[in-house]
């Protein structure tokens, strides 16, 4: 038998890509590849790419250029591009960078082993179809290595919302929800392998409406309740959501499902109704605030996170002020903010762009406000007891790091704690991006 080949995967972008990379590594495991974390050792390099902003896509091409020396030294080395750049640009990637042997879109990963076999014959391979078959079923996890205490689980893919700035509906396609039974099976399998916290993933995860095991559609809330019955699974999270899909049962679950963690990422993008309309968001600042109010009524301590875009075409100073006002009104625990990036093929691409310097300045101001809020929320944790799921050793001797229920990273000196343990911790200090604390002994 020949020695196993080595696969190096580099993942860009969102958590769904992290999940997809794991599934690709498993699929290629079946084709005789083992994963390596050393690129110079690889027989195949796969870049799992992100197309959400221009910079993310450009990074892929500059990274590919860096593989030239490796490939010159070892002509057998195969180079593949997966993910959303692969979907969006297809064959163009091979034209622009002839080093590339394989291009595979996010819906075709289950065909990777077949494609790799074609490469072995000296061919190139391209697949950016949206096939009928369920890739997750085809990719079913193979024999079961032990895992860390947290895992992602994709339950829904694609998006039907068509925000005017966003490539997702084009790169990931229409909304598809996986059947609930398959998700429950996968979750049980993860728990058997040591997982205690699962984050349910979807581009528009709260629009989940998968087939239930006994027929009928299940909502995300129903799925969460069913998952909460899985013994050994202690924590459930989900991301990313659209404000219009925060249904009554999901809001209610935040108040009553003990395993659903008090953290919610709910992007709003802008606080100006004029811009929200032009973004095709289909909600107003007021309707977003109303949803937040209802969520906080159900779960008063919930930590809120969001996404913001500044410099969307035609955004004025007054529009930007509205965004700052909305941020003031909500009080975010953490948030992600971006300068608008023109994406070819999206409706906003041809509109009048905001001056780059103006957008830079707005981003700076917005981030200053969000950082201030983040630190205020972190500071408010000092003196409180939180529950921490420990993940790994920290940098200092005897230190362990984990996440609180609010998703704050927490450092504790606790030599007897193991990854996977959940313990009460009293927060003693707030750092730049994490908290420190001591074990609460009873
Ligand atoms: N420019 C800037 N930010 C964008 N996002 C999506 N598309 C763009 C774009 N063209 C941001 C949104 C979204 C997050 C995942 O990325 O804030 O919620
Ligand atoms: Fe993109 Fe999210 Fe809007 Fe869908 S809801 S188009 S994924 S920003």
């Amino acid at each position: 038998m020949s020695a196993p080949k080595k696969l190096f995967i580099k993942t860009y972008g969102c958590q769904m890509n992290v999940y997809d990379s794991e599934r690709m590594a498993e699929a290629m495991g079946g084709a005789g590849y083992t994963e390596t974390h050393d690129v110079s050792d690889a027989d195949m390099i796969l870049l799992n790419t992100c197309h959400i902003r221009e910079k993310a896509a450009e990074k892929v091409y500059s990274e590919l250029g860096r593989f030239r020396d490796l490939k010159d030294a070892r002509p057998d080395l195969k180079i593949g591009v997966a993910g959303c750049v692969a979907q969006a640009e297809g064959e163009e990637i091979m034209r622009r960078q002839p080093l590339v042997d394989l291009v595979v879109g996010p819906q075709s990963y289950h065909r990777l082993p077949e494609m790799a076999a074609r490469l072995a014959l000296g061919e190139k391979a391209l697949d950016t179809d949206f096939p009928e078959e369920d890739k997750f079923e085809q990719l079913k996890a193979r024999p079961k290595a032990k895992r860390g205490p947290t895992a992602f689980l994709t339950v829904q893919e694609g998006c039907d919302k068509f925000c005017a700035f966003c490539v997702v509906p084009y790169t990931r396609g229409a909304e598809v929800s996986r059947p609930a039974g398959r998700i429950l099976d996968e979750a049980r399998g993860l728990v058997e392998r040591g997982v205690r916290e699962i984050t349910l993933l979807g581009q528009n995860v709260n629009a989940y409406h998968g087939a239930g095991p006994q027929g009928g559609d299940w909502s995300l809330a129903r799925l969460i309740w069913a998952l909460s019955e899985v013994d050994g699974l202690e924590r459930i999270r989900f991301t990313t959501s659209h404000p219009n899909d925060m249904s009554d049962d999901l809001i209610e679950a935040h108040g009553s499902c003990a395993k659903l963690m008090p953290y919610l990422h709910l992007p709003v993008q802008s606080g100006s109704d004029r811009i929200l309309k032009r973004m095709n968001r289909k909600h107003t600042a007021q309707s977003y605030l109303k949803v937040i109010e209802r969520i906080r009524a159900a779960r008063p301590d919930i930590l809120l996170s969001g996404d913001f875009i500044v410099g969307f075409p035609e955004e004025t100073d007054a529009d930007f002020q509205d965004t700052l006002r909305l941020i003031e009104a909500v009080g975010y625990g953490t948030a992600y903010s971006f300068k608008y990036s023109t994406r070819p093929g999206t409706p906003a691409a041809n509109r009048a762009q905001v001056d780059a310097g103006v957008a830079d300045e707005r981003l700076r101001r917005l981030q200053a406000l969000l950082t201030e809020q983040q630190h205020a929320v972190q500071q408010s944790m000092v003196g409180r007891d939180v529950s921490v799921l420990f993940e790994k050793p920290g940098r200092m001797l005897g230190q362990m790091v984990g996440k609180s229920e609010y998703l704050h990273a927490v450092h504790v000196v606790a030599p007897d704690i193991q990854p996977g343990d959940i313990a009460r911790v009293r927060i003693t200090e707030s750092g730049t991006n994490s908290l420190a604390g001591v074990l609460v002994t009873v």
Side-chain angles (χ1 to χ4, degrees), residues 18-168:
V18 175
Y19 178 84
D20 285 346
S21 291
E22 288 169 4
R23 298 291 80 69
M24 285 194 273
E26 282 169 359
M28 291 297 278
Y33 281 81
T34 57
E35 212 177 340
T36 174
H37 298 287
D38 175 5
V39 68
S40 62
D41 193 32
D43 299 288
M44 182 188 272
I45 298 171
L46 208 49
L47 301 185
N48 192 9
T49 61
C50 172
H51 200 241
I52 196 93
R53 285 170 290 276
E54 188 179 2
K55 265 196 197 145
E58 282 309 313
K59 255 196 229 157
V60 175
Y61 284 104
S62 63
E63 183 82 38
L64 285 170
R66 271 184 250 140
F67 297 144
R68 183 179 308 278
D69 289 348
L70 275 178
K71 187 127 175 170
D72 282 347
R74 292 181 28 225
D76 279 352
L77 173 67
K78 303 297 180 199
I79 296 179
V81 178
C84 294
V85 175
Q87 188 64 44
E89 309 215 340
E91 231 170 319
E92 176 61 22
I93 299 175
M94 289 179 177
R95 261 197 294 277
R96 192 164 153 189
Q97 183 45 274
L99 289 177
V100 172
D101 302 288
L102 173 149
V103 172
V104 59
Q107 303 309 327
S108 307
Y109 295 152
H110 53 295
R111 296 177 175 168
L112 258 178
E114 224 178 278
M115 295 172 79
R118 299 226 310 274
L119 298 190
L121 303 173
E123 295 172 24
K124 294 208 172 200
L126 171 101
D127 191 337
T128 52
D129 289 351
F130 284 87
E132 282 295 310
E133 70 262 22
D134 177 348
K135 73 170 170 192
F136 292 113
E137 272 304 283
Q138 317 269 333
L139 283 175
K140 251 191 182 155
R142 290 176 337 110
K144 315 292 187 180
K146 182 120 177 82
R147 301 199 34 146
T150 64
F152 297 127
L153 201 174
T154 294
V155 303
Q156 178 279 330
E157 259 192 296
C159 182
D160 295 341
K161 293 279 191 294
F162 289 92
C163 298
F165 49 81
C166 185
V167 288
V168 166

Side-chain angles (χ1 to χ4, degrees), residues 158-214:
C159 182
D160 295 341
K161 293 279 191 294
F162 289 92
C163 298
F165 49 81
C166 185
V167 288
V168 166
Y170 312 97
T171 55
R172 292 276 174 167
E175 263 176 26
V176 178
S177 297
R178 297 178 65 195
R182 290 183 189 161
I183 296 166
L184 288 165
D185 282 348
E186 193 170 327
R188 288 189 202 99
L190 288 168
V191 170
E192 277 165 25
R193 294 162 72 188
V195 169
R196 304 197 77 191
E197 171 180 306
I198 290 181
T199 301
L200 306 175
L201 297 181
Q203 263 97 24
N204 204 353
V205 72
N206 58 343
Y208 176 84
H209 52 92
Q214 268 87 46

Side-chain angles (χ1 to χ4, degrees), residues 243-318:
N244 290 2
D245 294 315
M246 283 308 297
S247 53
D248 294 348
D249 60 347
L250 189 56
I251 293 175
E252 213 266 314
H254 271 292
S256 52
C257 180
K259 290 187 180 178
L260 182 58
M261 293 294 102
Y263 175 99
L264 179 66
H265 182 64
L266 198 59
V268 63
Q269 317 295 357
S270 168
S272 153
D273 287 345
R274 207 178 69 87
I275 293 297
L276 286 169
K277 198 162 178 64
R278 283 170 163 69
M279 286 178 164
N280 192 33
R281 287 287 296 179
K282 303 190 182 86
H283 61 77
T284 62
Q286 202 51 46
S287 68
Y288 177 83
L289 291 171
K290 185 78 202 157
V291 171
I292 298 283
E293 193 184 303
R294 291 176 55 219
I295 295 162
R296 280 198 165 131
R299 182 76 203 227
D301 63 335
I302 199 161
L303 188 145
L304 292 164
S305 161
D307 286 344
F308 297 89
I309 295 178
V310 300
F312 185 76
E314 301 164 43
E315 184 187 69
T316 64
D317 268 332

